[in-house]
Amino acid sequence: MNKKIVVLSGGVGGARFLEGLIQIIPQGKLFIIGNTGDDEQFYGLHVSPDLDTVLYTLSGVVNAKQGWGFKNETYNVMQQLTNLGNNDWFKLGDKDLAVHIHRTNLLKQGKKLSEITDELVGKFGLTVKLVPMTDDSVKTFIKTAHGRISFQEYFVKNRWQDEVLDIIYSSAEKTKPAPGIIDAILSSKGVIISPSNPLVSIDTILSIPGIRAALIKTKAKITAISPIIAGETIKGPAVKMMKEMGIEASALGVAQHYRDFLDVMIIDTKDKELKRRIEKLGIKTVVTNTIMKNNKIKKELAQIVVNTV
Ligand code: FO1
């Protein structure tokens, strides 16, 4: 039977986990749902950071140090744009810009983001199924004391310094999941929630009507990997955001956050004392090394996760 494994993925953390996963199961068995709440228009171009991070990482062209963008990238266009007086807070490399020009051009011709992403997957030499959470427009905004700002303004421009008063998945209620998502969840072998930011990666995907209900309904096992280890994250503002939103910033807090659909929680050895408390929620808990500092650990983690679904 060709049942797929569905992965809900955000940006860098999700992509790094997927890098391990494609080394232990065939790419054709993976159905990856990507967050597009971070999408933004720059210079009239549609930029999909999280989809691109998955594409670049899995095809081996990513700048591994920063986790996004191409390796060996040049910034000639950006430099000239800056010389012409444009903002330079969002760094768009030359090769990266080519992807955004290509994507925007096809969107203007009437193609759906999911069709374009499908085509890009092939062009990058991959055989995974990578699907944006929706073909409709959803944009994540952060409510701050100075008003509402877009996710990229919060994350890149302001370096996540603003206190988060609320998170808004703008227009989410008017959207529908991209083709195939609900079927994939309902008929999957298992669902994996990657170690991505629960509030601005995974919850964004869950804000699309029908996706959470499908996770609750599916008979497949659902496993999440905690992005929080001993009260900290490897990268990004998840801990700060969760605290500001009144959510416990720990693997237990993540398990509680996903408890209406979660079967298994993977936590780091540094958090082993949380196992009993998570299991009290009725969620099986596996303790292992989740810091993906080398390829061996990445593959081992992927194998442990696959064994649970
Ligand atoms: N992150 C930054 O911190 N600074 C940047 O200038 C930046 C540019 C950028 C360009 C294209 C792209 O696909 C991603 C980019 N990112 C940048 C990363 C990205 O904004 C975030 O990692 C994600 O949105 C969070 O998942």
Side-chain angles (χ1 to χ4, degrees), residues 66 185 295:
Q66 60 190 20
I185 294 173
N295 196 47

PDB file of all heavy atoms in Angstrom, residues 66 185 295:
ATOM      1  N   GLN A  66      22.935  29.940   7.646  1.00  0.00           N
ATOM      2  CA  GLN A  66      21.787  30.772   8.018  1.00  0.00           C
ATOM      3  C   GLN A  66      20.470  29.995   7.973  1.00  0.00           C
ATOM      4  O   GLN A  66      19.497  30.375   8.621  1.00  0.00           O
ATOM      5  CB  GLN A  66      21.718  32.063   7.196  1.00  0.00           C
ATOM      6  CG  GLN A  66      21.598  31.909   5.717  1.00  0.00           C
ATOM      7  CD  GLN A  66      21.783  33.230   4.957  1.00  0.00           C
ATOM      8  OE1 GLN A  66      22.338  34.178   5.476  1.00  0.00           O
ATOM      9  NE2 GLN A  66      21.308  33.280   3.727  1.00  0.00           N
ATOM     10  N   ILE A 185      -4.157  13.735   4.733  1.00  0.00           N
ATOM     11  CA  ILE A 185      -4.181  13.542   6.195  1.00  0.00           C
ATOM     12  C   ILE A 185      -5.065  12.348   6.555  1.00  0.00           C
ATOM     13  O   ILE A 185      -4.683  11.485   7.350  1.00  0.00           O
ATOM     14  CB  ILE A 185      -4.674  14.827   6.912  1.00  0.00           C
ATOM     15  CG1 ILE A 185      -3.658  15.962   6.726  1.00  0.00           C
ATOM     16  CG2 ILE A 185      -4.921  14.554   8.407  1.00  0.00           C
ATOM     17  CD1 ILE A 185      -4.126  17.320   7.254  1.00  0.00           C
ATOM     18  N   ASN A 295      24.542  14.963  10.907  1.00  0.00           N
ATOM     19  CA  ASN A 295      23.645  14.166  10.075  1.00  0.00           C
ATOM     20  C   ASN A 295      23.232  12.860  10.746  1.00  0.00           C
ATOM     21  O   ASN A 295      22.104  12.388  10.568  1.00  0.00           O
ATOM     22  CB  ASN A 295      24.289  13.898   8.713  1.00  0.00           C
ATOM     23  CG  ASN A 295      23.269  13.430   7.717  1.00  0.00           C
ATOM     24  OD1 ASN A 295      22.191  14.020   7.604  1.00  0.00           O
ATOM     25  ND2 ASN A 295      23.545  12.333   7.035  1.00  0.00           N
TER      26      ASN A 295
END
